[in-house]
C-alpha cells in the first residue's frame, strides 16, 4: 500500500538522487529532453506539485499553471494527483496494467530518461568511439555516486 509515510520516503529519495552531481551532469547532457530526467515522471511529483508561486485565493477564474515536480509544500489527494497525471498522458507509465480507476494504487513506478548523444551517421568511427568512451565514463560515475 502506498501510505503517506512511504510516499514521503520516495519523494525524499527522488529529491536526493536528482540533487547528485552525476545526475545533474547526465540531465544537462540530455538537452531538450531534460524534463524527462528532472523532474522526471512519478506519482510523488504529482502529489507534491508546485503551484508555481501563484496565490490560489486570488485566482478564482483561471486555473493556475502547475509544475509536476515534487517541490510543493504539502501533498494533494491521491485521486486528484492521478487525474493530473492522466491529463498529462503519463499515468499509464507509472501504474500497473491491473490498476483500477478510483482505487488507490498499491505500487507505482517512477520514470527518468537520459539521452546521451553518440554522434551522427556521418561521423567517423574514431569520433563515435571517443564519444562512446565519454558516455561510458559519465554513466559509470553516475552509477557509482
Amino acid at each position: 500500500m502506498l501510505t503517506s509515510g512511504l510516499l514521503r520516503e520516495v519523494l525524499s529519495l527522488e529529491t536526493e538522487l536528482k540533487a547528485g552531481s552525476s545526475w545533474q551532469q547526465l540531465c544537462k547532457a540530455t538537452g531538450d529532453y531534460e524534463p524527462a530526467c528532472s523532474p522526471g515522471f512519478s506519482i510523488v511529483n504529482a502529489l507534491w506539485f508546485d503551484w508555481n508561486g501563484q496565490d490560489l485565493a486570488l485566482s478564482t477564474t483561471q486555473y493556475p499553471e502547475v509544475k509536476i515536480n515534487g517541490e510543493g509544500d504539502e501533498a494533494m489527494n491521491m485521486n486528484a494527483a492521478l487525474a493530473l497525471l492522466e491529463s498529462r498522458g503519463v499515468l499509464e507509465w507509472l501504474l500497473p496494467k491491473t490498476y483500477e480507476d478510483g482505487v488507490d494504487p498499491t505500487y507505482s513506478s517512477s520514470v527518468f530518461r537520459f539521452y546521451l548523444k553518440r554522434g551522427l551517421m556521418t561521423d567517423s568511427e574514431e569520433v563515435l568511439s571517443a564519444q562512446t568512451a565519454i558516455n561510458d565514463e559519465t554513466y559509470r560515475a553516475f552509477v557509482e555516486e
Side-chain angles (χ1 to χ4, degrees), residues 2 5-15 42 44 108 110:
L2 294 176
L6 179 60
L7 290 165
R8 283 190 181 280
E9 286 183 43
V10 172
L11 176 65
S12 178
L13 174 64
E14 288 185 11
T15 301
S42 71
V44 295
S108 76
S110 296

Side-chain angles (χ1 to χ4, degrees), residues 5-102:
L6 179 60
L7 290 165
R8 283 190 181 280
E9 286 183 43
V10 172
L11 176 65
S12 178
L13 174 64
E14 288 185 11
T15 301
E16 183 180 333
L17 287 170
K18 291 185 275 190
S21 61
S22 293
W23 185 291
Q24 292 178 13
Q25 181 183 356
L26 265 178
C27 217
K28 283 184 176 129
T30 298
D32 291 344
Y33 300 103
E34 190 170 341
C37 62
S38 186
F41 307 98
S42 71
I43 284 182
V44 295
N45 281 350
L47 285 168
W48 281 274
F49 71 93
D50 183 0
W51 285 105
N52 200 20
Q54 298 175 63
D55 185 351
L56 297 183
L58 299 176
S59 179
T60 57
T61 58
Q62 294 181 327
Y63 292 106
E65 178 183 335
V66 297
K67 295 180 180 178
I68 303 176
N69 59 9
E71 295 179 11
D73 294 329
E74 60 184 77
M76 71 186 308
N77 171 281
M78 176 63 82
N79 287 333
L82 295 176
L84 179 59
L85 290 168
E86 186 172 33
S87 75
R88 302 288 173 98
V90 298
L91 184 62
E92 65 186 27
W93 301 350
L94 307 176
L95 294 179
K97 292 186 186 297
T98 57
Y99 168 72
E100 294 180 32
D101 192 26

